[in-house]
Amino acid sequence: MKKDHYILGIETSCDETAASIVKNGTEIISSIVSSQIQQQKKFGGVVPEIASRLHVEQITLVIQEALNEAKLVPSDLVAVTVTEGPGLVGALLIGINAAKAFAFANQLPLIGVHHIAGHVYANQLIHEMEFPLLALIVSGGHTELVVMKSHGSFELIGETRDDAAGEAYDKVARVLGLPYPGGPQVDQLALMSDEGIDFPRAWLEKDSYDFSFSGLKSAVINYKHNMEQKGGKINHAHVAAGFQQSVVEVLTVKTVKAAREYDVKQVIAAGGVAANQGLRKSLTAALEKEGIPFYVPPISLCTDNAAMIAAAGYEMWKSGVRNDSSMNGRPGMPLKSWN
Amino acid sequence: MIWLGIDTANSPLSVAIVKDDVLLIEESSMMKINHSLRAMPAVEEACRKADITPSEIDAIAVSEGPGSYTGVRIGVTIAKTLAWTLDKPLYGVSSLKALAFNGQLFNGLICSVIDARRSNVYAGVYRAKGTDLVSVLEDQHCPVAQLLEKLKECKEAVLFVGEDVKLYESIIREHLGKQAYIAPFALNVPRASSAILLAQSANQPEIVHTFTPQYKRITEAEANLMKKGSSYE
């Protein structure tokens, strides 16, 4: 009988303290996420120092809960995996140092995982990845199109030149006076309206898979100012819907084009904005028309979690990737292939 | 009984292993090297050199701050994770108390100082009592001038300990004159063995999961929120 391999994942790159046990890289045995949203809300965003302080309070509790829920002890594990970057450096360091101490105490190998590789591998927890595949990564810090020809191989074909999609969502939410975190609220509001204000789309150069969202964000702000100057009222649902239509159309069209050009077997979406209902619907419809399978993880696996870190970490572990205890937090870590 | 001690509360790093009241190994470094690069490797190296496996550690002492926010969190995170997963008692020791212990043989008050920038310091004032120190002025974050006024009122000899004392030497002399003594460089190194010794006189170990650093300061974001009069609880 084949032996099962259990991996511990730890994630503290932003405002969630998370730990998870994943079996054989594909099956979640436990996934604990302690979110700081309630504590950070009153500051209107994530305050890095407060994020770090809260991670220290939660870290051992969260790891213990992950083990308890899985009914496993440390000696059942084959490796400890942790988000090495990118993210808030002070926050990353809590997960990293807890991972190091845990690995040393239990004599386990330590593996540092790229946060975005984690988001991509969240898909491995719902459906086996088939190559070549195209991954659309959309979150508060990222908007990227990545082609994978095999496990651990990442080719960046397009990325945002200014704001990340999620960042634009949060900024527009602020313009509309929606409370933090605003992205999901813009999505909700947009779904309430069939009509949208006509905002511009940034297609950039003809062959480019890059994105740009800062112009759109400015267009929303200008629209609001113009209306206010004229003494008119703005319809928040129409603004949200128009903004969302612009973002979703650009993301969908470029994703479909890339999927065709690279002749991929599947398209996957990853990251916090992959939880967006408008985007999920649009990508599903467009890729169905193309006959290309499209997978997007459930919302709990789109937002930050540690199961995705363990899932990516499992593939790294299989490939022999190891870190030593001098691992540092890498806030600007680039996405590099390990295979 | 094997103790592991860790102090990363400020830019110095110190790791020690004490076995049956004998200091087996201690590594202290004053170099400004990122603790995340050095702290855990130093713990591993100390264990290896002392020929001790992690499960043989019986108790852990850690410097709990105040000091550098990131620095103290690295030591505390390592210590609490080790204590939790090895199921061993954890003791938090004030970083100022551990530093003041270097002046244990001084006949008078011992004031440990850590720079907190903009003429503010973290400071604690202690007096030796056997192998323990008793607190005379509670650990605090305050303007250096305010600390010196309080010390002046004590009308006692004061030994200033800590690498950052030199930043304030002239103002110390100005306020306290002959009342002030400045520790030589060899006494400015925080020692993890001091943290272990002080932990041994503690009554109760910490509750590991809820153990957090002693920052002695709220964050700037919280302070701003309070200024605005928002409902910060």
Side-chain angles (χ1 to χ4, degrees):
Chain A
M1 209 175 77
K2 218 180 111 194
K3 192 180 171 290
D4 288 325
H5 299 298
Y6 295 97
I7 301 260
L8 169 66
I10 298 172
E11 148 72 31
T12 62
S13 69
C14 190
D15 60 343
E16 335 268 0
T17 319
S20 165
I21 312 275
V22 166
K23 182 168 130 185
N24 300 329
T26 55
E27 192 185 326
I28 299 175
I29 306 300
S30 65
S31 179
I32 310 297
V33 180
S34 164
S35 173
Q36 305 177 354
I37 283 185
Q38 285 312 316
Q39 291 100 320
Q40 299 274 12
K41 215 158 79 181
K42 57 178 171 269
F43 302 105
V46 178
V47 178
E49 174 59 23
I50 289 173
S52 304
R53 290 187 178 195
L54 292 170
H55 284 309
V56 183
E57 286 177 22
Q58 292 297 318
I59 189 70
T60 54
L61 267 170
V62 165
I63 303 171
Q64 166 144 40
E65 243 178 277
L67 285 164
N68 288 354
E69 209 167 275
K71 296 192 177 64
L72 293 175
V73 292
S75 58
D76 295 322
L77 304 170
V78 294
V80 182
T81 64
V82 63
T83 307
E84 186 178 0
L88 302 169
V89 67
L92 288 166
L93 286 175
I94 305 308
I96 288 172
N97 281 284
K100 287 181 189 181
F102 186 88
F104 169 65
N106 299 294
Q107 302 290 295
L108 290 165
L110 173 73
I111 299 164
V113 178
H114 192 281
H115 184 75
I116 295 305
H119 274 303
V120 170
Y121 272 87
N123 283 280
Q124 183 83 341
L125 297 164
I126 52 153
H127 191 276
E128 200 181 333
M129 288 157 79
E130 282 178 71
F131 305 103
L133 68 72
L134 176 71
L136 170 67
I137 299 141
V138 270
S139 71
H142 296 265
T143 309
E144 283 155 19
L145 277 170
V146 171
V147 172
M148 291 181 71
K149 296 205 167 105
S150 63
H151 277 300
S153 130
F154 305 97
E155 186 194 339
L156 184 70
I157 60 165
E159 65 188 321
T160 182
R161 293 183 186 170
D162 39 61
D163 292 349
E167 210 177 337
Y169 267 93
D170 286 341
K171 285 177 184 166
V172 166
R174 220 168 296 158
V175 171
L176 295 179
L178 299 169
Y180 169 86
Q185 311 225 22
V186 174
D187 184 24
Q188 286 296 318
L189 205 53
L191 293 174
M192 284 160 54
S193 170
D194 294 327
E195 235 178 292
I197 312 292
D198 191 23
F199 290 120
R201 275 89 171 127
W203 297 110
L204 306 175
E205 303 80 40
K206 199 170 156 282
D207 296 323
S208 177
Y209 289 119
D210 281 352
F211 302 98
S212 166
F213 296 108
S214 73
L216 170 61
K217 175 194 69 192
S218 303
V220 173
I221 294 169
N222 288 342
Y223 172 80
K224 190 189 173 210
H225 286 171
N226 283 341
M227 290 301 279
E228 280 169 355
Q229 260 168 10
K230 285 187 210 156
K233 264 199 158 181
I234 62 165
N235 182 317
H236 283 190
H238 289 180
V239 173
F243 165 77
Q244 173 133 314
Q245 280 156 13
S246 169
V247 174
V248 166
E249 187 183 327
V250 173
L251 290 173
T252 304
V253 168
K254 293 208 178 208
T255 302
V256 170
K257 189 170 169 242
R260 258 191 241 142
E261 185 187 329
Y262 288 85
D263 197 17
V264 297
K265 290 213 175 83
Q266 57 181 221
V267 173
I268 62 181
V273 183
N276 182 291
Q277 296 298 331
L279 180 63
R280 290 164 92 104
K281 247 191 252 169
S282 164
L283 282 170
T284 305
L287 288 160
E288 199 178 280
K289 219 188 266 173
E290 296 288 320
I292 303 170
F294 170 62
Y295 300 101
V296 56
I299 288 165
S300 63
L301 286 175
C302 285
T303 48
D304 287 352
N305 64 87
M308 66 184 202
I309 300 303
Y314 171 77
E315 287 300 329
M316 297 174 82
W317 174 77
K318 269 208 318 197
S319 302
V321 179
R322 302 289 183 268
N323 284 80
D324 65 30
S325 63
S326 66
M327 188 199 293
N328 202 354
R330 297 173 65 191
M333 185 179 183
L335 179 61
K336 272 209 190 125
S337 303
W338 67 76
N339 261 346
Chain B
M1 177 92 175
I2 297 174
W3 281 79
L4 169 68
I6 303 169
D7 188 336
T8 63
N10 287 286
S11 60
L13 166 77
S14 186
V15 170
I17 292 174
V18 169
K19 185 179 183 182
D20 301 330
D21 293 337
V22 176
L23 176 57
L24 292 184
I25 187 165
E26 180 164 55
E27 187 200 319
S28 294
S29 150
M30 302 288 276
M31 288 181 292
K32 287 189 164 54
I33 300 173
N34 185 322
H35 285 315
S36 190
L37 295 175
R38 286 288 301 124
M40 202 56 218
V43 169
E44 292 186 13
E45 199 178 297
C47 288
R48 190 165 39 80
K49 284 183 177 164
D51 199 18
I52 280 167
T53 62
S55 54
E56 288 175 305
I57 297 167
D58 295 300
I60 296 165
V62 66
S63 170
E64 65 184 11
S68 140
Y69 292 166
T70 300
V72 70
R73 270 197 290 269
I74 287 175
V76 165
T77 301
I78 289 172
K80 77 186 274 189
T81 306
L82 287 175
W84 159 66
T85 191
L86 296 168
D87 197 18
K88 297 295 159 64
L90 171 70
Y91 295 85
V93 175
S94 154
S95 56
L96 289 164
K97 192 176 182 184
L99 182 58
F101 193 79
N102 288 350
Q104 191 225 2
L105 298 177
F106 183 74
N107 190 12
L109 300 176
I110 311 156
C111 177
S112 46
V113 172
I114 296 163
D115 184 34
R117 280 176 273 190
R118 282 176 269 179
S119 293
N120 286 291
V121 290
Y122 297 107
V125 180
Y126 294 88
R127 191 193 301 283
K129 189 183 173 197
T131 57
D132 201 1
L133 294 179
V134 288
S135 174
V136 177
L137 264 183
E138 208 183 318
D139 288 359
Q140 57 193 288
H141 172 259
C142 65
V144 68
Q146 187 185 315
L147 168 77
L148 295 173
E149 277 315 301
K150 282 186 194 161
L151 286 169
K152 202 172 175 181
E153 285 165 24
C154 293
K155 295 190 167 62
E156 241 187 293
V158 187
L159 175 68
F160 287 88
V161 185
E163 186 64 14
D164 296 338
V165 169
K166 61 174 183 281
L167 302 172
Y168 297 105
E169 195 169 338
S170 58
I171 184 174
I172 290 172
R173 299 256 182 241
E174 207 177 285
H175 276 75
L176 297 177
K178 284 185 176 162
Q179 204 187 328
Y181 294 80
I182 309 276
F185 71 84
L187 296 182
N188 287 334
V189 189
R191 300 181 60 186
S193 57
S194 304
I196 293 173
L197 193 64
L198 292 167
Q200 289 176 343
S201 357
N203 299 321
Q204 285 281 333
E206 311 287 345
I207 298 164
V208 176
H209 281 315
T210 55
F211 179 65
T212 47
Q214 292 295 319
Y215 300 104
K216 299 287 171 199
R217 250 181 115 178
I218 59 168
T219 64
E220 229 174 282
E222 288 166 312
N224 290 339
L225 207 58
M226 282 165 86
K227 254 187 250 164
K228 275 195 261 166
S230 285
S231 58
Y232 171 70
E233 65 273 20

